[in-house]
Amino acid sequence: MTHIFRASFVSAGRDALPRVRRCTFKEGGNDGRKSAKPRSSPGARELVPDDGSNAPSGCSADATLKDRGRRRRLWLRVCQAVLLLLVTVLPAFAQEADTQPNEVPGSLPRLDDSAQVSLITYTPGEELYQAFGHSAIRVKDDLLSMDRLYNFGVFDFETPNFYLKFVHGDLLYQLAVSPGEEEISIVGAYGQGVTELPLNLSQNQKQKLFEMLEINLLPENRFYRYDFILDNCSTRPRDVLERITGSPVTERGAGNQTFRQMLDPYFTRIPWIGFGVSLLLGAKVDRLASPREACFLPADLERAVQTSKNGDQSLTAGKRELFPPEALPDSLFFLAPIWIFYSGGILWLLFWLLRRKGHAIWPTALCLTIFGLTGTFILVISLWTRLWVLHENCNLLWLIPFHLPAGIWLFFAKSRPFLLLWYLRFAFVAACAFVCFSFVLPQSFNPAIYPLSLIIAWRCALELVPGQSVV
């Protein structure tokens, strides 16, 4: 899915298909074609004029000879055309006659009536690239000894400038295929739950889906530009099923949550990762996800398939649990960002009050520098990347990039220039305004950012009090 990273066991692609015996037709000659040279007929006679009385003479005889020559050449051309037609058509009829019922023309076998097509879903795993789970399509035909798992979430770690391409939105993901039973067993052994939804498809729909996946598997078709939400390893299987059935695949219970709200539960056990992702995601992920768009998460795609139709019947024939999920380790709640920042801020404030002394300048300068550096990073990423989920980031209203030069200036300033004092007032007002009015902004924020905003407001206010600073 939408997992940020995804590893897979990739097989030889189309080479893993069962071999199909094809009839061939070969003619004699160097190039396999019949010679265009006409063969002489036993009954043909050569017209040779003689001196006898029967020999035609004058203009009448010449005209007769020319007319017979034209008819003979015409007859020979007709014979050649018929012979060429036979050479071309007969092999085609021979191939069609020898083709078995479970084969189709070309290199792909025809699936047996008992073949099964299903949607495979993995539950979230412990690794980062497993955080959201995964979706794949399985095509299994016991008669052909075929079990292929089609996975749209594969990428190459050896890609040059991997991380730059990922952040910029240029990283190419690809469709890959692997032995179904083998990969499912490996995933289950690692503790991820695996479920299977057999699909209610007609024989023609199964064959069409199989051929569509194989065409997508070709080197010129298998790569696509990954999109964290709109084009990933869950939306691609949804698109395939919609093309086959001609019906939308939607989660009927969705439509009342934003993309961010749908993602948040997956970060409960990895709160620091969730905090970092929340800083990077912009306001565009705070719009409501439509029932179709909600399929960007594997679990939601599974629910959507269970409630979707294929004509008048249900799209799925039930659900099978191949491997139960193992419990994932949870982080200690008091180590989550929100507890660290609130408790750290309160302890810092109490320590300052108990000292009954002036404050030091360097902690304020350090806070401004760190916040400004983070804001600069977010600004550069949001302007540079083509990933729409990182655009229009309202976190820049409290992670103001101008904090960076102000913090460095405060480090080395021996006095308080007017411009620096003005900026400290601005930073104080901006932090207080953000805490009070962030709820009206078109973006939701991680609760852990509010103690950080209060800390910046407090430190800037201390710098505006004359004669209270100490080294």
Side-chain angles (χ1 to χ4, degrees):
M1 142 276 94
T2 111
H3 45 259
I4 300 179
F5 303 105
R6 168 72 189 150
S8 177
F9 298 87
V10 183
S11 73
R14 296 174 65 89
D15 295 337
L17 282 169
R19 297 282 184 180
V20 180
R21 303 182 63 181
R22 301 182 61 187
C23 298
T24 58
F25 187 91
K26 186 175 182 181
E27 292 291 338
N30 295 332
D31 58 356
R33 299 180 180 177
K34 279 196 177 287
S35 174
K37 182 178 180 180
R39 299 175 61 182
S40 60
S41 173
R45 294 185 300 170
E46 184 176 1
L47 295 177
V48 180
D50 53 26
D51 296 335
S53 59
N54 293 332
S57 63
C59 295
S60 177
D62 293 336
T64 301
L65 287 173
K66 291 180 179 179
D67 184 66
R68 289 181 178 178
R70 282 195 298 269
R71 286 199 298 268
R72 174 172 291 183
R73 287 193 297 271
L74 179 61
W75 172 249
L76 289 176
R77 290 177 181 176
V78 171
C79 291
Q80 290 175 1
V82 173
L83 184 61
L84 180 63
L85 182 64
L86 292 175
V87 171
T88 305
V89 174
L90 282 179
F93 280 108
Q95 178 174 342
E96 183 177 354
D98 290 341
T99 302
Q100 297 299 320
N102 65 338
E103 297 174 359
V104 294
S107 61
L108 296 179
R110 183 161 186 82
L111 298 178
D112 185 68
D113 292 341
S114 62
Q116 183 183 87
V117 178
S118 55
L119 176 71
I120 300 296
T121 304
Y122 303 156
T123 62
E126 189 172 352
E127 301 296 332
L128 179 59
Y129 65 83
Q130 302 169 337
F132 303 99
H134 187 59
S135 298
I137 296 178
R138 185 182 191 183
V139 178
K140 185 177 182 181
D141 191 325
D142 293 332
L143 187 63
L144 295 175
S145 299
M146 181 178 70
D147 187 3
R148 294 168 71 79
L149 193 68
Y150 296 89
N151 173 12
F152 284 95
V154 175
F155 58 86
D156 185 6
F157 264 119
E158 303 301 322
T159 301
N161 302 317
F162 175 86
Y163 292 104
L164 286 177
K165 288 184 177 180
F166 179 81
V167 175
H168 190 251
D170 291 328
L171 183 63
L172 294 180
Y173 276 54
Q174 62 177 299
L175 170 65
V177 67
S178 58
E181 189 67 31
E182 178 182 338
E183 178 166 343
I184 289 173
S185 298
I186 292 174
V187 172
Y190 274 104
Q192 288 182 261
V194 183
T195 56
E196 184 174 21
L197 290 180
L199 302 177
N200 282 326
L201 301 177
S202 67
Q203 182 61 25
N204 288 336
Q205 287 176 327
K206 293 177 184 178
Q207 186 67 32
K208 185 179 178 182
L209 181 144
F210 173 54
E211 294 174 1
M212 181 184 297
L213 291 172
E214 288 297 320
I215 291 174
N216 271 282
L217 194 60
L218 294 173
E220 61 268 26
N221 299 330
R222 65 175 57 182
F223 294 95
Y224 70 98
R225 184 171 283 112
Y226 179 80
D227 186 293
F228 181 56
I229 288 178
L230 298 181
D231 196 359
N232 57 46
C233 64
S234 288
T235 62
R236 290 261 164 167
R238 176 204 63 193
D239 297 342
V240 170
L241 295 179
E242 288 181 336
R243 291 181 184 180
I244 296 300
T245 63
S247 303
V249 176
T250 60
E251 186 184 354
R252 298 182 181 179
N256 56 354
Q257 284 187 308
T258 65
F259 293 111
R260 191 188 300 270
Q261 289 170 337
M262 296 180 68
L263 289 170
D264 283 343
Y266 292 88
F267 295 119
T268 302
R269 66 176 190 85
I270 44 175
W272 284 98
I273 298 295
F275 177 72
V277 171
S278 69
L279 293 182
L280 291 174
L281 296 180
K284 290 189 174 183
V285 298
D286 287 284
R287 68 172 177 86
L288 292 177
S290 69
R292 184 175 182 271
E293 291 173 332
C295 297
F296 81 100
L297 290 168
D300 292 89
L301 174 63
E302 184 180 58
R303 286 192 290 268
V305 171
Q306 288 179 292
T307 58
S308 297
K309 297 286 186 180
N310 180 18
D312 296 331
Q313 63 177 351
S314 174
L315 180 55
T316 180
K319 180 178 178 178
R320 295 199 296 262
E321 186 178 57
L322 305 182
F323 287 92
E326 295 182 3
L328 296 174
D330 288 328
S331 62
L332 299 176
F333 76 93
F334 55 84
L335 295 180
I338 188 170
W339 292 101
I340 293 292
F341 295 150
Y342 268 115
S343 59
I346 292 174
L347 290 176
W348 191 3
L349 177 62
L350 292 176
F351 177 74
W352 174 76
L353 292 174
L354 293 175
R355 285 183 63 195
R356 296 183 180 180
K357 295 181 180 180
H359 67 280
I361 296 175
W362 68 265
T364 306
L366 182 61
C367 287
L368 286 172
T369 302
I370 293 175
F371 284 31
L373 188 62
T374 305
T376 301
F377 174 77
I378 292 175
L379 177 63
V380 171
I381 291 296
S382 63
L383 293 177
W384 175 65
T385 185
R386 60 190 300 165
L387 296 176
W388 63 274
V389 296
L390 305 184
H391 295 164
E392 301 178 13
N393 198 330
C394 294
N395 280 300
L396 293 173
L397 294 178
W398 69 278
L399 291 172
I400 303 173
F402 290 113
H403 285 354
L404 176 59
I408 296 175
W409 192 359
L410 190 61
F411 259 124
F412 299 100
K414 295 182 180 180
S415 60
R416 297 288 189 277
F418 172 77
L419 185 60
L420 182 57
L421 290 174
W422 179 89
Y423 186 82
L424 290 173
R425 293 188 185 97
F426 162 76
F428 169 77
V429 173
C432 293
F434 179 83
V435 172
C436 295
F437 301 106
S438 61
F439 67 93
V440 302
L441 296 173
Q443 179 173 330
S444 297
F445 301 95
N446 192 300
I449 70 171
Y450 293 106
L452 297 178
S453 297
L454 292 174
I455 288 174
I456 239 350
W458 167 52
R459 297 305 304 186
C460 289
L462 290 179
E463 299 301 328
L464 295 174
V465 177
Q468 293 295 320
S469 62
V470 296
V471 179

